[in-house]
């Protein structure tokens, strides 16, 4: 089943976000603390391993669905309203091999894509956890995920891509994510992939500790250094 978004709206000013750092660096926390998503927003999660199951996100209960059909129906019902929601997809038995995981991810992306509406009063925030596990190239993301990144903004969809790695993820993700949150890294190749773009010295990125970050907003030179607090 192919779903299509409606009401393309070029007047919308939406910038996607990328959060990259090693395990425990603060990526998931950053999606809640950087102010890009509010408690009352409509939020949908690709959550393969169920980290949001029975949890709250910004004080709101996350509802997790294990079948694509249930997920689609819940999301569709939610999008018919102006109310906020937090809806996650987590399969009961996640596939183990990358190509099956990717297939499933792209199905979820297709569902999210179909929920786009350039005239909807609320932005649909799509949090994609651990995208390094579902992408296969450092080049062009030629898929519905790439489509979400390139055209989602017109349909009021904001993509929040989360990755443990920077070097192997698609260029499309890096170039289309105007907001970049970069936490502590393990590998020099990952640091090098974004240091220049952030105009931050590789050594400064390598000096980050857990929960410390560089955050790039829209435009040039708009980079700040900070630490997440609870
Ligand atoms: N509510 C909280 N209070 C205190 N520490 C927390 C809380 N939530 C997460 N942490 C800690 O913050 C760090 C970053 O967590 P997280 O954002 O989940 O990292 P990542 O998504 O990059 O793996 C971890 O050390 C985690 O234990
Ligand atoms: Mg996380």
């Amino acid at each position: 089943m192919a779903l299509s978004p409606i009401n393309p709206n070029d007047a919308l000013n939406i910038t996607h976000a990328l959060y990259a750092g090693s395990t425990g660096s603060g990526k998931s926390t950053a999606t809640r603390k950087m102010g890009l998503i509010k408690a009352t927003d409509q939020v949908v999660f690709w959550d393969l391993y169920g980290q949001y199951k029975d949890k709250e996100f910004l004080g709101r209960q996350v509802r997790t669905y294990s079948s694509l059909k249930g997920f689609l129906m819940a999301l569709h019902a939610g999008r018919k309203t102006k109310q906020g929601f937090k809806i996650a997809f987590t399969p009961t038995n996640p596939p183990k091999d990358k190509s099956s995981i990717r297939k499933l991810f792209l199905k979820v992306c297709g569902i999210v894509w179909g929920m786009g509406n350039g005239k909807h009063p609320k932005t649909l925030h799509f949090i994609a956890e651990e995208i390094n596990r579902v992408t296969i190239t450092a080049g062009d993301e030629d898929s519905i995920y790439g489509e979400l990144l390139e055209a989602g903004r017109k349909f009021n969809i904001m993509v929040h891509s989360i990755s443990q790695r920077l070097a192997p993820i698609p260029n499309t993700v890096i170039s289309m994510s105007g907001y970049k949150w970069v936490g502590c890294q393990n590998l020099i190749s990952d640091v090098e992939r974004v240091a220049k773009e952030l105009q931050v010295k590789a050594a400064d990125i390598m000096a980050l500790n857990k929960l410390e970050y560089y955050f790039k907003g829209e435009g040039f030179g708009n980079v700040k250094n900070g630490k997440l607090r609870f």
Side-chain angles (χ1 to χ4, degrees), residues 84-106:
F85 57 71
K86 313 288 171 280
I87 291 173
F89 175 72
T90 300
T92 312
N93 296 305
K96 301 279 182 286
D97 64 293
K98 191 160 187 175
S99 80
S100 305
I101 296 173
R102 177 171 167 85
K103 255 189 213 151
L104 193 55
F105 172 67
L106 296 181

Side-chain angles (χ1 to χ4, degrees), residues 34 181 209-214 225-230:
M34 295 309 293
W181 184 98
N209 293 306
K210 283 193 172 183
L211 300 174
E212 294 174 352
Y213 62 84
Y214 283 94
N225 181 217
K227 180 169 184 181
L228 299 172
R229 287 171 211 289
F230 294 97

Side-chain angles (χ1 to χ4, degrees), residues 21-30 32 51 129 162 210-211 230:
S22 52
T23 303
S25 61
K27 304 179 294 296
S28 298
T29 304
R32 303 189 290 271
Q51 74 175 79
E129 281 280 351
I162 300 179
K210 283 193 172 183
L211 300 174
F230 294 97

